Amino acid sequence: MITKENILNYMRQTTYKPLSYDELSEELGLQEEKQYLNLSKTLGKMEKEGDIIRTRKNKYGLPELMNLVKGIIRVNQRGYGILLPDELGKGEIFVYGKKLNGAMHNDRVMVRVYEETGESKRAEGAVIRIISRANQQIVGSFKKRRSHAVVIPDDSRHIYPVYVQSTKRTKAKNGDKVLLSITSYPDSNSGIEGKIIEIIGSASDPGLDLKVIIKKHHLRTEFSDAVMAEARDISNDLLSQDLRKRRDLRDWKMVTIDGEDAKDLDDAVSIARINGGYRLGVHIADVSHYVKEGGQLDKEALKRGTSVYLVNTVLPMLPPELSNGICSLNAAEDRLALSCIMDIDYQGQIVKYELCKSVINVNERMNYSDVNALLADTDEKLKQRYTEYVDDFFLMNELANILRRQRQKRGALDFDFPETKVLMDQDFVPYEIKPREQGQGEKLIEDFMIKANEVVAEHLCEHGLPTLYRIHEKPDDDSLNKVNQVLGVFGYKVSIRKNNAQTYQSILKEIKGKPEEQLISMVILRSMKHARYGPQLLGHFGLGSKYYCHFTSPIRRYPDLLVHRVLTALLESSLNDKKTRKWMQQLNFLGEHATLQEIKAEEAEREYLDLLKAQYMKKFVGEEFAGVIASIHSFGFFVRLQNTVEGLVHISSLYDDYYIYNERDYSLLGSHNGKKFTIGDEVKVLLSRVDTDEAKIDFEIVEANTKKRILTKKRAKSKME
């Protein structure tokens, strides 16, 4: 049988030029009519998916041999695009707006590279073909005009307005948020057309922003009847056959440690001191026992890819009947788990480990606040309440500190950027915003989960099993050059030969507490690639891990569920060649899909958080705040307040001088007065404007000595007169 892999392998190994259909048939030695038909269908599918390209002379060639690159195009609100290539290790490609040729944000495209990356130039290209469209629907604001109506997309990365046919039956009013279906996509000559399929609401509707975010990012909110029926068919009672071939750990003392509001508890931990070190147990809900491959629950979980956490609203990957019920490790209830039991010495090295299917019974449902208070030894009532577990928490903390030091020793990067906590009322109105504190309780759970993920990844790799790794590649040469431009200003440098995690970590350690800490940390963070999922063992740069996968959150992440299935097949000795081949064929798609779903969830979460911050700050317009410059750009700089809210001081509002942007050290320098704004500077600002529709916050600098605003043009002119 002729497969895509057969054709690609042949073309890569035996030819460097496009081949016609007849030439391919002859070279592949086809003789039967059935084989010709199969080849024709396979070539058609490969062309549609962008695996091969057909030339004007009707020949088939490999894109990589024709200076073509396939990938996802990310469109910037300024109108240009960045191609993220599918091929591992290949750098990003810049695409000017006029070269997008109708490509939209997140479309899969083929780009012709016409300027290669060099020491003084970047890779640039043009979209020559759109392989698949990522957007079938768009959310935006309805605008009715005399001759026509348009919808202005809420996502500024959709750079084209959408023309809609306005009729008497159109019930949308000016300013309404609507969901429309695209009926005609843009090209180099025309824009987008669409039809309204839902009026989401008007600006005054409570909770409208949340609805818009959900629709805008195409997040799934409801579970189908078929999915719910399958979920309800799952028994909440453990049967004798469920316990077969499982290690009974119900007499082990163990706890869950999560946030106060968490309901999907997928990890429990146990600890014991042993001769020469510690015995750490990380016990993860055995979701794969209930979510069978190919079932309705599995298909829905795959589509979602991840749970989405929108402040006080959760869109779960699995129905609550599972995520909060039988799969959640609720205290005092028997639960099925996959356990990673590790013996660790006092240097943080694994002496031995065991991976097994288990049945557990969690003793206590702990939260981070209580564990932090117990470790701080400040709450006598809590100590009495959990007197049986206090010593265990101190032992956990002792081990966690060892694991953290060991991880730092091998080069794990630790960025100290604040997270945000938003408190909202029942109408989704934020009434307080503050930094989210991370105490020892949060840290020790993170340390334990990282170690379990590493052990499972190495175990699966050693057995040569197909799985999805969590991949975080090191910065490429182009990103490294940009980092070195800034580092050079302060006397640091990362050589290509020493482009490793230890080098970056040593720099972060050396700048700790220095004025340049904020700037260099930000530049290094920006140079990092986004972590992703894939079947290749490429390591995790940020953690300094050679082996890493996601194993510890199968309730809320689909890749973890896949890892559980592979591990279960190994533990049950049920892995055969057929199943292995099937998984191998699926892993590239599954990894790419999971990564895209994760990015989509992150964007939705970040956007909703920005909207809430803007809504909260609206009532403080005209007031002054102390803040720190968080980032600097050619158009101005962002100031972060103590509550983590950030706003822009636009360069046009700095009327006391003409400021020049220096991209080498990310600073703004006054050409006459010599005043210099750099990242990390403490400043006082006045909140001058808040746009809640665009989630934009504008500040103006307040003079430190007079605590007055810098003169506006109008006021300056009147003074001179």
Side-chain angles (χ1 to χ4, degrees):
M1 182 177 177
I2 302 299
T3 66
K4 178 175 80 171
E5 287 71 26
N6 296 148
I7 296 171
L8 289 176
N9 287 336
Y10 173 78
M11 295 181 75
R12 287 176 181 139
Q13 293 172 12
T14 61
T15 183
Y16 294 94
K17 63 179 182 179
L19 297 174
S20 68
Y21 175 83
D22 290 337
E23 289 171 330
L24 267 173
S25 302
E26 183 179 345
E27 295 290 346
L28 291 168
L30 304 188
Q31 296 179 349
E32 301 177 10
E33 184 177 348
K34 186 177 180 181
Q35 291 178 316
Y36 286 107
L37 182 62
N38 179 249
L39 175 63
S40 180
K41 287 182 178 179
T42 305
L43 287 173
K45 185 177 180 181
M46 291 173 66
E47 184 183 1
K48 184 178 180 181
E49 294 176 351
D51 295 312
I52 56 175
I53 194 87
R54 189 165 9 181
T55 69
R56 292 179 182 176
K57 295 183 179 180
N58 218 26
K59 292 189 174 186
Y60 297 96
L62 293 173
E64 59 261 38
L65 301 179
M66 302 170 70
N67 212 27
L68 301 174
V69 180
K70 183 173 69 170
I72 302 291
I73 192 82
R74 308 300 297 274
V75 177
N76 185 278
Q77 59 185 4
R78 298 184 186 179
Y80 62 82
I82 300 290
L83 184 81
L84 307 180
D86 290 346
E87 186 180 340
L88 294 173
K90 200 166 189 69
E92 298 174 347
I93 299 168
F94 183 89
V95 180
Y96 282 105
K98 61 184 178 181
K99 301 288 187 181
L100 286 172
N101 293 323
M104 297 173 64
H105 181 63
N106 276 342
D107 283 350
R108 178 171 292 285
V109 300
M110 190 85 74
V111 165
R112 183 177 300 282
V113 181
Y114 58 83
E115 186 171 340
E116 292 292 343
T117 302
E119 199 167 310
S120 59
K121 55 186 179 181
R122 64 189 172 193
E124 296 180 4
V127 175
I128 65 160
R129 184 180 156 205
I130 296 163
I131 299 170
S132 61
R133 293 287 189 178
N135 308 279
Q136 285 75 47
Q137 298 176 342
I138 286 180
V139 171
S141 298
F142 180 77
K143 304 289 183 184
K144 192 171 183 179
R145 295 172 181 167
R146 288 184 180 180
S147 59
H148 63 278
V150 298
V151 169
I152 308 300
D154 275 12
D155 191 337
S156 57
R157 293 168 301 187
H158 292 318
I159 56 179
Y160 313 98
V162 185
Y163 293 90
V164 296
Q165 187 175 3
S166 180
T167 66
K168 293 181 180 179
R169 302 173 72 180
T170 302
K171 296 181 180 180
K173 301 174 183 177
N174 270 331
D176 280 355
K177 293 292 183 183
V178 299
L179 175 67
L180 58 82
S181 174
I182 298 175
T183 57
S184 178
Y185 286 95
D187 56 30
S188 55
N189 300 313
S190 60
I192 314 178
E193 296 178 8
K195 64 177 181 180
I196 295 173
I197 58 176
E198 181 183 345
I199 299 173
I200 301 172
S202 62
S204 59
D205 293 345
L208 176 66
D209 295 320
L210 179 60
K211 296 177 185 176
V212 168
I213 292 291
I214 289 171
K215 295 287 185 181
K216 176 179 174 180
H217 292 275
H218 314 299
L219 302 176
R220 301 172 73 87
T221 56
E222 303 297 328
F223 291 98
S224 69
D225 291 342
V227 171
M228 291 307 300
E230 188 174 307
R232 284 190 290 267
D233 283 344
I234 295 173
S235 173
N236 283 320
D237 299 321
L238 297 188
L239 305 176
S240 58
Q241 57 263 35
D242 295 329
L243 307 184
R244 287 178 193 157
K245 298 182 180 179
R246 286 183 181 269
R247 187 167 174 193
D248 193 340
L249 304 179
R250 284 176 287 187
D251 60 342
W252 282 33
K253 189 166 58 170
M254 62 179 69
V255 299
T256 59
I257 307 177
D258 294 273
E260 285 89 336
D261 300 329
K263 296 178 181 178
D264 49 350
L265 315 178
D266 47 16
D267 58 89
V269 291
S270 60
I271 192 75
R273 190 180 293 281
I274 60 174
N275 187 28
Y278 315 83
R279 178 160 293 155
L280 170 67
V282 175
H283 314 275
I284 308 300
D286 190 359
V287 180
S288 63
H289 178 84
Y290 301 101
V291 181
K292 301 300 184 183
E293 187 174 6
Q296 294 297 325
L297 284 166
D298 182 49
K299 290 176 181 177
E300 181 66 21
L302 171 59
K303 289 175 183 176
R304 297 183 179 224
T306 180
S307 296
V308 185
Y309 297 87
L310 298 168
V311 186
N312 62 348
T313 300
V314 180
L315 305 180
M317 185 179 79
L318 298 171
E321 283 78 0
L322 272 72
S323 60
N324 300 350
I326 189 62
C327 290
S328 184
L329 304 183
N330 301 325
E333 296 181 11
D334 289 350
R335 287 292 186 260
L336 304 183
L338 287 178
S339 294
C340 177
I341 304 165
M342 299 161 277
D343 287 358
I344 305 173
D345 66 20
Y346 291 117
Q347 285 70 49
Q349 299 295 328
I350 299 286
V351 178
K352 67 176 182 178
Y353 67 88
E354 176 189 1
L355 299 172
C356 63
K357 300 180 69 176
S358 61
V359 55
I360 65 174
N361 191 298
V362 171
N363 299 91
E364 288 285 351
R365 191 269 197 242
M366 302 295 301
N367 63 62
Y368 293 127
S369 299
D370 286 350
V371 173
N372 290 336
L374 288 169
L375 291 173
D377 199 17
T378 57
D379 194 320
E380 287 299 324
K381 286 186 178 180
L382 272 180
K383 286 172 67 176
Q384 292 176 9
R385 165 71 177 84
Y386 297 111
T387 183
E388 187 180 350
Y389 304 96
V390 171
D391 289 343
D392 286 348
F393 293 135
F394 277 97
L395 192 59
M396 288 180 189
N397 194 44
E398 183 181 310
L399 173 58
N401 288 332
I402 292 172
L403 293 176
R404 201 174 311 130
R405 284 196 298 269
Q406 186 221 34
R407 199 165 65 246
Q408 291 169 348
K409 187 177 180 181
R410 73 188 186 204
L413 305 180
D414 184 19
F415 295 101
D416 188 19
F417 292 107
E419 295 184 17
T420 304
K421 183 172 184 176
V422 179
L423 302 178
M424 303 170 64
D425 63 23
Q426 59 185 9
D427 293 323
F428 301 94
V429 177
Y431 62 84
E432 185 179 2
I433 292 180
K434 58 184 180 180
R436 184 183 296 277
E437 302 289 339
Q438 188 183 46
Q440 290 302 112
E442 289 91 339
K443 290 178 181 178
L444 71 83
I445 287 297
E446 181 182 12
D447 295 327
F448 293 168
M449 297 306 117
I450 289 174
K451 180 53 69 176
N453 286 336
E454 291 172 341
V455 167
V456 171
E458 185 170 4
H459 185 79
L460 294 178
C461 179
E462 287 180 347
H463 284 79
L465 298 178
T467 194
L468 278 183
Y469 294 101
R470 182 63 167 173
I471 299 169
H472 186 220
E473 298 168 90
K474 68 179 182 180
D476 55 32
D477 292 350
D478 188 41
S479 298
L480 181 59
N481 288 335
K482 292 177 181 177
V483 170
N484 276 330
Q485 283 183 356
V486 178
L487 293 179
V489 175
F490 301 97
Y492 306 104
K493 184 179 180 181
V494 178
S495 68
I496 294 178
R497 187 171 55 85
K498 291 186 178 181
N499 184 12
N500 54 46
Q502 286 91 340
T503 303
Y504 285 94
Q505 191 209 57
S506 65
I507 292 174
L508 290 173
K509 192 179 294 184
E510 192 168 345
I511 63 173
K512 197 75 174 175
K514 294 184 179 179
E516 63 266 24
E517 180 183 1
Q518 285 276 338
L519 169 59
I520 293 178
S521 295
M522 183 204 69
V523 171
I524 290 177
L525 181 63
R526 284 183 177 178
S527 74
M528 300 292 165
K529 296 184 178 181
H530 191 287
R532 58 189 178 83
Y533 297 103
Q536 303 86 2
L537 181 66
L538 299 177
H540 196 293
F541 183 81
L543 293 173
S545 298
K546 181 179 179 181
Y547 305 95
Y548 202 72
C549 70
H550 273 166
F551 158 74
T552 54
S553 296
I555 291 178
R556 64 182 180 88
R557 290 189 306 225
Y558 196 80
D560 303 56
L561 182 56
L562 289 176
V563 168
H564 275 229
R565 286 189 179 134
V566 176
L567 183 58
T568 296
L570 176 64
L571 295 174
E572 294 180 341
S573 301
S574 63
L575 194 63
N576 52 44
D577 290 342
K578 183 179 179 181
K579 187 179 287 187
T580 300
R581 283 196 303 271
K582 179 185 176 183
W583 279 339
M584 285 299 296
Q585 291 169 0
Q586 295 175 335
L587 284 178
N588 277 315
F589 162 75
L590 293 174
E592 182 180 286
H593 173 74
T595 301
L596 290 176
Q597 291 302 104
E598 177 186 66
I599 292 172
K600 183 167 73 171
E602 289 174 353
E603 289 179 348
E605 291 164 3
R606 184 168 55 247
E607 185 176 333
Y608 188 44
L609 185 60
D610 288 343
L611 279 169
L612 294 177
K613 287 179 177 180
Q615 291 172 3
Y616 174 74
M617 294 300 292
K618 183 80 173 179
K619 58 189 173 187
F620 299 112
V621 171
E623 296 188 23
E624 295 179 3
F625 298 89
V628 174
I629 296 179
S631 62
I632 295 184
H633 309 267
S634 59
F635 52 84
F637 52 85
F638 286 91
V639 173
R640 182 187 300 128
L641 306 185
Q642 293 174 351
N643 63 2
T644 74
V645 170
E646 290 190 15
L648 175 67
V649 176
H650 198 275
I651 196 168
S652 62
S653 71
L654 301 174
Y655 297 120
D656 64 330
D657 203 349
Y658 179 76
Y659 285 86
I660 300 171
Y661 175 60
N662 184 346
E663 63 179 350
R664 281 185 58 83
D665 64 355
Y666 291 87
S667 67
L668 286 173
L669 180 65
S671 57
H672 300 320
N673 62 20
K675 184 187 292 183
K676 187 177 184 180
F677 294 104
T678 60
I679 293 173
D681 285 353
E682 295 181 358
V683 293
K684 277 205 169 183
V685 292
L686 179 138
L687 179 58
S688 58
R689 177 176 172 270
V690 175
D691 184 340
T692 52
D693 290 333
E694 296 289 329
K696 291 181 178 178
I697 298 171
D698 290 330
F699 290 134
E700 291 184 19
I701 285 290
V702 175
E703 290 281 16
N705 55 346
T706 61
K707 296 186 179 180
K708 293 181 180 179
R709 295 169 62 181
I710 294 176
L711 296 175
T712 62
K713 286 182 179 178
K714 186 174 180 180
R715 287 171 61 196
K717 184 178 179 181
S718 64
K719 271 207 164 188
M720 287 187 290
E721 291 174 344

